[in-house]
Amino acid sequence: MIKVLRLGHRAGRDDRISTHVGLTARQWGASEIVYSGQKDSNMIESLRDTSERWGGEFKISYTKDWKDIIRDFDGLAVQLTMYGEKIGEKDEEIKQRFEEQDLLIVVGAEKVPRWVYENVDYNISVGNQPHSEIAALAVFLDRVQENGIKEEFEGSDIQVVPSEKDKLTK
Amino acid sequence: MIKVLRLGHRAGRDDRISTHVGLTARQWGASEIVYSGQKDSNMIESLRDTSERWGGEFKISYTKDWKDIIRDFDGLAVQLTMYGEKIGEKDEEIKQRFEEQDLLIVVGAEKVPRWVYENVDYNISVGNQPHSEIAALAVFLDRVQENGIKEEFEGSDIQVVPSEKDKLTK
């Protein structure tokens, strides 16, 4: 089981980035995302609508108490941060541990409190340059799973039919 | 050589997403990004500042004539779209071809004209669910290169020192 915790959401400024974080988590097989920071019911509702339309079970919620999410998680907690240890040196180890344990992935918006660095099992950098928590999350999930891109989403209203040159849905 | 073409940028709405697209391209070793859609000098200047501060050569420009970028590219043109062929079926083939040819990667904002689908060498889906062009670009670049995450950026003002629990720079 994979759960994603998105810290420090700022309504307005982070709407689209946080939405992409949620959709990316869902595409790579996470079963749940929890948002923290400013409460943003519009963003959450809109993400929930998309998720329902495209099927599968993907839980979306908000909490003020993000420390509890990390503290109470029964499994491996990984923060993705450009300051962490290089993913290339840790991905195989985490992939192996993930076979036996659930995974909590923490991604921040701007400044992440020091408490997080000290209370997760790993701080992992997916590159040490400034880039994107969306990119970091996607590549991390792609590397620690064998077939990370989830294919089956039950009960969808719409489905893409992959195609060489066309835009096909059913 | 990897070049990225970002289509259909909308100033305001797409600022942060397009910035993340640029930074992701840079982190995974692209040498250039070209933006099209609405001209957004603020976004481009801010991205250029970040890039210069963190080092390396990364060319950032704007064009109205995006068709020319695709038409004139001497190499392999790949559009990333949720409607395309599955990446898992094409990544090895593209990785091999990339050893002998340059790569142009096209990522759209909202609606991408049919012309693009018909004038690239591949339309590739990094998952067939709605998610993020940032995630798609990152995972595509991570899969078609052996060590995709670029480490060396010459002439930087700042560098991260990867760490287990700290935020260290030099």
Side-chain angles (χ1 to χ4, degrees):
Chain A
M1 181 273 265
I2 297 168
K3 181 167 170 171
V4 173
L5 172 63
R6 163 65 160 173
L7 294 179
H9 174 80
R10 296 159 296 184
R13 179 169 161 83
D14 290 326
D15 285 19
R16 295 190 64 219
I17 299 287
S18 290
T19 299
H20 283 214
V21 167
L23 291 172
T24 296
R26 177 178 173 275
Q27 173 65 84
W28 270 269
S31 51
E32 182 174 358
I33 188 163
V34 182
Y35 288 95
S36 198
Q38 288 176 16
K39 186 164 186 178
D40 188 347
S41 307
N42 286 346
M43 187 269 290
I44 285 181
E45 268 319 303
S46 141
L47 180 57
R48 212 168 262 154
D49 285 351
T50 305
S51 179
E52 278 168 15
R53 188 156 173 251
W54 287 84
E57 298 288 329
F58 183 62
K59 205 175 146 196
I60 303 158
S61 62
Y62 170 81
T63 184
K64 271 192 326 224
D65 307 318
W66 55 268
K67 280 191 185 174
D68 291 348
I69 304 285
I70 297 175
R71 219 163 1 213
D72 299 346
F73 188 73
D74 183 17
L76 212 57
V78 179
Q79 186 197 183
L80 302 180
T81 159
M82 66 187 281
Y83 298 100
E85 297 180 275
K86 288 180 193 293
I87 186 174
E89 293 167 9
K90 292 288 169 185
D91 48 2
E92 285 305 322
E93 179 181 322
I94 294 172
K95 190 171 179 174
Q96 276 175 29
R97 294 187 68 179
F98 175 46
E99 285 172 20
E100 323 220 312
Q101 282 181 288
D102 289 339
L103 201 52
L104 174 68
I105 305 168
V106 184
V107 285
E110 223 162 31
K111 285 229 174 155
V112 172
R114 163 148 290 288
W115 188 93
V116 176
Y117 288 81
E118 289 164 355
N119 284 277
V120 292
D121 297 295
Y122 294 93
N123 291 286
I124 296 291
S125 57
V126 183
N128 298 113
Q129 298 289 311
H131 59 93
S132 173
E133 58 268 46
I134 301 163
L137 178 63
V139 167
F140 180 82
L141 288 175
D142 201 58
R143 288 207 188 179
V144 302
Q145 303 182 87
E146 206 50 60
N147 294 298
I149 297 175
K150 187 174 169 182
E151 303 277 356
E152 304 296 330
F153 290 82
E154 283 183 16
S156 63
D157 298 341
I158 183 170
Q159 255 182 287
V160 165
V161 183
S163 159
E164 232 181 293
K165 298 276 177 200
D166 292 306
K167 290 171 70 167
L168 306 175
T169 53
K170 64 178 178 188
Chain B
M1 184 275 267
I2 298 167
K3 181 168 172 172
V4 173
L5 172 62
R6 163 67 160 171
L7 294 179
H9 173 80
R10 296 158 297 184
R13 181 170 160 83
D14 289 328
D15 285 18
R16 296 191 64 218
I17 299 286
S18 290
T19 299
H20 284 213
V21 167
L23 291 172
T24 296
R26 179 179 172 275
Q27 173 65 84
W28 271 268
S31 52
E32 183 174 356
I33 189 162
V34 181
Y35 288 95
S36 199
Q38 289 176 16
K39 186 165 185 176
D40 188 347
S41 306
N42 287 345
M43 187 271 289
I44 285 181
E45 268 320 303
S46 140
L47 180 58
R48 213 169 261 155
D49 285 351
T50 306
S51 179
E52 279 168 15
R53 188 154 173 253
W54 287 85
E57 298 288 328
F58 184 62
K59 206 176 146 195
I60 304 159
S61 62
Y62 171 81
T63 185
K64 270 191 327 221
D65 306 318
W66 56 269
K67 279 190 186 176
D68 290 349
I69 303 284
I70 297 175
R71 220 165 0 214
D72 299 346
F73 189 74
D74 182 16
L76 213 56
V78 179
Q79 186 198 183
L80 301 181
T81 159
M82 65 188 282
Y83 299 101
E85 298 181 275
K86 289 178 193 294
I87 185 174
E89 293 167 8
K90 291 288 169 183
D91 47 2
E92 284 305 320
E93 179 181 322
I94 294 173
K95 190 171 180 174
Q96 276 175 29
R97 295 186 68 180
F98 175 46
E99 285 172 20
E100 324 219 311
Q101 281 182 290
D102 289 338
L103 201 51
L104 174 68
I105 304 167
V106 184
V107 283
E110 223 164 35
K111 284 230 173 154
V112 172
R114 162 148 290 288
W115 188 93
V116 176
Y117 288 80
E118 288 163 357
N119 285 276
V120 291
D121 298 295
Y122 294 94
N123 291 287
I124 297 291
S125 57
V126 184
N128 299 114
Q129 298 290 310
H131 59 93
S132 173
E133 57 268 46
I134 302 163
L137 178 63
V139 168
F140 180 82
L141 287 175
D142 201 60
R143 287 206 188 180
V144 302
Q145 303 182 87
E146 207 50 60
N147 294 299
I149 298 176
K150 188 175 167 182
E151 303 277 355
E152 303 296 328
F153 290 83
E154 284 183 15
S156 63
D157 299 340
I158 183 169
Q159 255 182 288
V160 165
V161 183
S163 160
E164 232 181 294
K165 297 275 176 198
D166 293 307
K167 291 170 70 167
L168 307 175
T169 53
K170 65 178 180 189

